[in-house]
């Protein structure tokens, strides 16, 4: 069944595009959204079709707004093609989990669903949520309804909307964390799309007629592209606030939240060989009192909604709107919509974008254990029953879990009496020592890539642990095993592990081939620079041996690797402007 691509009848609330432009002049995704009956499309029918394990192409696109992606097992692709079979379709399901906070009861449910439908694995993502992979079409509804029982959903986890709203996982200040986390949760609820499509398709509810229009903010065509929001609490920049389309940097006096500096226009995605696409770090444009967060979200998002490129999706992120129109123009337009001028940005300082691993104290006598989870993969690995261990902990844990932006997991809000119980379980499962990993491994991230990601050009999650095992002897040789250096790998240039602001970045070009970037800022404040292009493992190790050796010899006390390679002239600094890093 095809979707009718017609001008929607309920235009009055649709401020989501320049109405002087006929739909036919816009990109195909715009006409698809506009004709989708607010994201219903024919998803319900596609789910019932028993002939294919997949769904129609337009429904695949709409399904993203519902937090799900049709994928296929790429390890099996060639063999199935040879056998003239359709690809081994399955679905990735991404949970909406603002700030990465979940309860033990929710964990138990997620674990159960993953064991029943998700290949007995869960994946913690770089935006603090869970992904299920390997879900078959026939199990999608049961999965979503199971999440619903645990008060979770997948609305807007993907698609041209707000995505997962991030929040710093600040172990030291639990009162402040609670306050800012509540704002992140409210922001997610406020900015998520509102159509009844989700309830009708996944929960089987009847359509409710409304005179107001289903999407008072988004209209019929939603955002031009994904839009990402995050809340940072200095001195930790764990959420990588400069990689967000809209970032809020908490300004705190004592332990009291005063307001936020506002940063706009961050994003990582780029395409090899297309210099008109580039990563850009967000620009700080001013300060707002804490009470103004919601209206600021509306003002900033509406500027992008109304001025973002709706013809060319490769040019549709907010960063391009800002660079095309000029930062001053965008800021003035935001202030115009807000009805007040932003105050001058307040002083703040970040010190790192990593996690503090192990036990740390919170105020009020509670503590938190942050567990290093290599690349966010939760499964029962040979010799490490990680999934079982976390389920056992969830069964007795009385606090919360916090998923970190570095794909790690904090067992948070642990009371005094519970701490020894949790410690004993960590020891029983061999999770207390964190495996003697190098500081580089503990500060590493890899995106999912193969075999599920349809865009991967090279391995990432399955390859990085082994590569680090080969880098570690070099670190040992240069006496750098305990020196934190951020290392991030992706299987393509899209930047899902935020590789372009790491001190060492590796982005996949082809099977076994990567671009090597160095010189990013230790706390995510500076883009790195292309150092070697399209190289294989031997060349990566040789290049790293050389630059790590120079760093070990020439660094100043406390100097980070990224800062050193710039000071030593190994790569030039990526400065203001369009932020090109290749
Ligand atoms: Fe991402 C697309 C995985 C964080 C930039 N990302 C994808 C897809 C859905 C592939 C696709 O479109 O078919 C990947 C699914 C792989 C799989 O099998 O699961 C995927 N992205 C991920 C995750 C799971 C990586 C991870 O290992 O944790 C992260 C999920 C975050 C979440 O919970 O919402 C993830 N993606 C990011 C980030 C980091 C961030 O947001 O902090 C970025 C860079 C920031 C940015 O948006 O620029 C990112 N993903 C992209 C892009 C490039 C976007 C662009 O504007 O250029 C794509 C491709 C696209 O959208 O066309 C993409
Ligand atoms: Fe897939 Fe590329 Fe994102 Fe990795 S960076 S998950 S390969 S889209």
């Amino acid at each position: 069944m095809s979707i009718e691509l017609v001008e929607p009848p309920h235009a009055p609330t649709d401020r989501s595009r320049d109405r002087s432009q006929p739909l036919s002049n816009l990109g195909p995704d715009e006409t698809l959204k506009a004709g989708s009956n607010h994201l219903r499309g024919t998803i319900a029918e596609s789910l019932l079709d028993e002939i294919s394990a997949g769904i129609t192409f337009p429904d695949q696109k709409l399904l993203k707004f519902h937090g799900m992606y049709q994928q296929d097992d790429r390890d099996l692709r060639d063999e199935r093609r040879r056998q003239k079979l359709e690809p081994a379709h399955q679905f990735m399901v991404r949970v909406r989990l603002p700030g990465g906070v979940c309860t033990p009861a929710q964990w138990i449910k997620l674990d159960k669903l993953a064991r029943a439908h998700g290949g007995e694995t869960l994946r913690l993502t770089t935006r603090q949520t869970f992904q299920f992979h390997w879900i078959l079409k026939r199990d999608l509804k049961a999965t979503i309804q199971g999440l619903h029982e645990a008060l979770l959903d997948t609305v807007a986890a993907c698609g041209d909307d707000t995505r997962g709203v991030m929040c710093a996982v600040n172990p030291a200040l639990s009162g402040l964390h609670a306050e800012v986390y509540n704002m992140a949760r409210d922001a997610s609820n406020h900015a998520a799309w509102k159509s009844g499509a989700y309830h009708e398709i996944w929960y089987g509810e009847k359509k409710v007629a409304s005179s107001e229009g289903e999407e008072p903010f988004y209209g019929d065509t939603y955002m031009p592209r994904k839009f990402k929001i995050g809340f940072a609490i200095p001195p930790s920049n764990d959420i990588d606030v400069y990689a967000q389309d809209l970032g809020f940097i908490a300004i705190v006096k004592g332990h009291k939240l005063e307001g936020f500096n506002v940063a706009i226009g961050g994003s990582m995605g780029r395409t090899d060989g297309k210099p008109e696409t580039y990563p850009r770090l967000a620009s700080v444009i001013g300060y707002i009192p804490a009470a103004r967060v919601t209206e600021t979200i509306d003002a900033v998002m509406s500027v992008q909604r109304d001025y973002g490129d709706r013809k060319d999706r490769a040019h549709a992120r907010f960063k391009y709107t800002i660079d095309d129109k000029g930062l001053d123009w965008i800021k003035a337009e935001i202030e115009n919509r807000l009805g007040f001028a932003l105050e001058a940005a307040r002083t703040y300082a970040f010190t790192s974008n990593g996690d503090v691993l192990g036990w740390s104290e919170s105020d009020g006598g509670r503590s938190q254990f942050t567990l290093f989870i290599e690349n966010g993969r939760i499964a029962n690995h040979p010799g490490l029953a990680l999934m079982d261990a976390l389920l056992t902990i969830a069964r007795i844990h009385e606090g919360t879990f916090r998923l970190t932006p570095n794909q790690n997991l904090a067992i948070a809000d642990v009371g005094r009496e519970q701490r020894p119980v949790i410690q004993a379980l960590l020891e029983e499962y061999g999770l207390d020592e964190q495996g003697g990993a190098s500081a580089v491994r503990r500060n590493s991230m890899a995106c999912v890539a193969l075999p599920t990601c349809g865009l991967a050009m090279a391995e990432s999650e399955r390859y990085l642990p082994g590569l680090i095992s080969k880098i570690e002897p070099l670190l040992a040789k240069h006496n750098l095993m305990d020196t934190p250096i951020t290392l991030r790998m992706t299987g393509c240039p899209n930047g899902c592990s935020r590789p372009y602001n790491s001190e060492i970045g590796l982005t996949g070009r082809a099977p076994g081939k990567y671009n090597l970037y160095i010189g990013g800022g230790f706390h995510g404040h500076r883009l790195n620079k292309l150092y070697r292009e399209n190289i294989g493992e031997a060349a990566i190790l040789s290049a790293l041996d050389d630059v790590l050796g120079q760093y070990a010899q020439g660094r100043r006390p406390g100097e980070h690797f990224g800062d050193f390679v710039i000071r030593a002239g190994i790569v030039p600094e990526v400065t203001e402007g369009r932020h090109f890093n290749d």
Side-chain angles (χ1 to χ4, degrees), residues 525-539:
H525 55 294
R526 182 180 59 233
L527 290 173
N528 48 26
K529 186 81 188 162
L530 183 63
Y531 181 56
R532 295 281 185 270
E533 197 172 358
N534 206 16
I535 55 173
E537 183 175 288

Side-chain angles (χ1 to χ4, degrees), residues 71 125-126 131 133 226 228 267-268 317 452 496 498:
Q71 301 182 321
T125 74
T126 54
Q131 277 187 189
H133 291 100
K226 58 180 82 169
K228 298 182 170 177
S267 154
M268 294 273 118
R317 288 296 290 271
T452 53
C496 295
R498 300 186 290 272

Side-chain angles (χ1 to χ4, degrees), residues 162 183 187-188 190-191 217 227 229 231 246 248 292-302 338:
T162 43
M183 291 180 156
S188 170
H190 174 74
F217 178 85
F227 191 92
I229 301 175
F231 291 78
L246 171 58
F248 293 99
R292 301 283 202 180
V293 164
T294 308
E295 59 202 286
T296 304
I297 291 173
D298 283 349
V300 176
M301 282 185 68
S302 70
L338 277 171

Side-chain angles (χ1 to χ4, degrees), residues 100-140:
V101 176
C102 88
T103 64
Q106 288 173 329
W107 186 284
I108 292 167
K109 187 70 180 187
L110 288 154
D111 177 282
K112 191 173 172 194
L113 291 170
R115 288 177 200 258
H117 309 301
E120 300 184 43
T121 176
L122 279 166
R123 180 58 156 64
L124 312 186
T125 74
T126 54
R127 291 191 72 79
Q128 300 179 282
T129 192
F130 297 92
Q131 277 187 189
F132 297 93
H133 291 100
W134 313 111
I135 300 203
L136 298 176
K137 182 167 87 171
R138 62 167 183 261
D139 296 327
L140 275 176

Side-chain angles (χ1 to χ4, degrees), residues 447-450 453-458 460 490-497:
C447 73
V448 179
L450 293 164
C453 178
L455 305 178
M457 299 161 161
S460 183
T490 58
C492 85
N494 278 322
C496 295
S497 64

Side-chain angles (χ1 to χ4, degrees), residues 172-189:
L173 300 164
S174 52
L176 187 61
H177 174 268
E179 193 176 358
V180 179
Y181 160 69
N182 285 340
M183 291 180 156
R185 191 200 49 210
D186 292 350
S188 170
N189 292 338

